[in-house]
Amino acid sequence: MASASVIDGKAVAAQVRERVAAAVKELPVTPGLATILVGDDPASATYVRMKREDSAQVGIESFHHEPGGDVSQEELAELIRELNADERVHGILLQLPLPGHLDQDPLISAIDPLKDVDGLTPANAGLLFQDRVGLVPCTPAGVMELLGEAGVELEGARAVVIGRSILVGKPVAQLLLAANATVTHCHSRTRDLAAVCREADVLVAAAGSPGLVTAEMVREGAVVIDVGTNRGDNGLVGDVDFDSVKEVAGAITPVPGGVGPMTRAMLLSNTVLAARLQVEARPQGAAPR
């Protein structure tokens, strides 16, 4: 069979940014995104810079904070509380990972769920589990957008998700289930992973293990979404052995240029949704700023 069609994440992300820019103009407020960067991790600094540039392109106001790598747990919690109370700020992004002396779970939980544009608070995780409107983690939302743009029929499809992180694996499995796919969730303890994967119409690899998925694990014609971003000697590589799998799959995302651009685009989309939810939650008669 012919090589798989490559799902272009950059092109789809550009479409999302166009939609967001149009939506920003329709809002009665200017959406504001606050970014918090702790420490001096170069990759995190690059991600945050790109997110701020993306925000500027679509008309989202940016509020950046660098409290320093030695910031205390309480000082960082206080900054989050201040941003929760700031009406100019509609989204709060706490860039992960944090330095080792900080406990990320209570800090994430301290973010107002209406401003939780990463979709990681217990409140938003619960809304996702109950199929209710909330803020969904950006990467899983991007995966679903890519599947939609590729015209993948999810209803009744057999979907396999490899990886069970709160950032990607668990929420993407829930989103696939909500789209009426039949979902099998795999992880490091799954027996005969290759046999399970070969049953998939849609295979989402989010294990953080470079080259984990090989051609022998993919059913002919399956759609393969590679969420992996692993830095190695040859640069950025995914969880999927792209060159071999593309000869078997029907459609596949590359790394880089697949899911990565979608994560940034969906952050913008989440910020606009957060602003809209906060406008709707404003007491009736209260004037916009």
Side-chain angles (χ1 to χ4, degrees):
M1 62 177 285
S3 290
S5 62
V6 177
I7 303 172
D8 187 349
K10 291 180 181 177
V12 180
Q15 294 173 20
V16 172
R17 287 196 298 272
E18 285 181 14
R19 290 206 308 264
V20 169
V24 166
K25 294 175 182 176
E26 298 295 320
L27 286 170
V29 296
T30 300
L33 175 63
T35 49
I36 305 173
L37 177 63
V38 184
D40 53 5
D41 179 67
S44 290
T46 299
Y47 291 150
V48 169
R49 177 180 53 77
M50 291 191 297
K51 290 166 183 175
R52 295 176 65 203
E53 290 171 355
D54 291 343
S55 297
Q57 287 177 4
V58 298
I60 294 174
E61 196 170 356
S62 182
F63 302 93
H64 184 55
H65 299 268
E66 290 190 34
D70 58 351
V71 65
S72 71
Q73 184 88 8
E74 179 51 37
E75 287 170 333
L76 195 50
E78 177 57 29
L79 172 58
I80 290 170
R81 287 191 289 269
E82 290 172 4
L83 294 173
N84 283 341
D86 189 337
E87 292 188 358
R88 301 171 303 162
V89 172
H90 300 95
I92 300 172
L93 175 75
L94 178 62
Q95 182 66 40
L96 304 176
L98 296 173
H101 71 283
L102 297 171
D103 185 354
Q104 73 176 34
D105 290 344
L107 292 168
I108 290 170
S109 297
I111 297 172
D112 181 341
L114 285 177
K115 298 188 178 188
D116 169 32
V117 288
D118 255 345
L120 294 179
T121 58
N124 279 316
L127 290 170
L128 175 60
F129 188 78
Q130 294 185 353
D131 294 332
R132 294 165 61 189
V133 175
L135 293 163
V136 175
C138 300
T139 300
V143 168
M144 299 304 291
E145 190 79 21
L146 287 173
L147 289 170
E149 284 293 327
V152 178
E153 178 56 63
L154 291 174
E155 185 157 342
R158 292 169 296 180
V160 171
V161 177
I162 311 173
R164 51 182 169 178
S165 71
I166 62 168
L167 280 169
V168 182
K170 289 180 179 177
V172 83
Q174 193 63 36
L175 289 169
L176 288 164
L177 193 61
N180 295 321
T182 298
V183 181
T184 302
H185 209 155
C186 299
H187 43 78
S188 59
R189 304 295 190 274
T190 299
R191 294 176 184 168
D192 201 353
L193 178 62
V196 177
C197 290
R198 280 194 296 270
E199 292 292 313
D201 300 308
V202 176
L203 177 59
V204 179
S209 179
L212 172 67
V213 176
T214 60
E216 295 72 29
M217 299 169 67
V218 177
R219 188 178 60 76
E220 190 170 312
V223 177
V224 180
I225 305 292
D226 189 354
V227 185
T229 50
N230 311 287
R231 296 193 180 277
D233 296 337
N234 298 319
L236 203 63
V237 296
D239 287 354
V240 176
D241 181 10
F242 182 85
D243 289 337
S244 69
V245 171
K246 74 177 181 181
E247 302 302 324
V248 182
I252 188 171
T253 58
V255 176
V259 174
M262 294 303 302
T263 299
R264 287 165 50 196
M266 299 315 292
L267 172 66
L268 305 176
S269 182
N270 269 359
T271 302
V272 168
L273 174 58
R276 186 178 295 124
L277 292 172
Q278 286 162 64
V279 167
E280 292 171 355
R282 189 192 306 128
Q284 204 150 24
R289 62 178 180 82

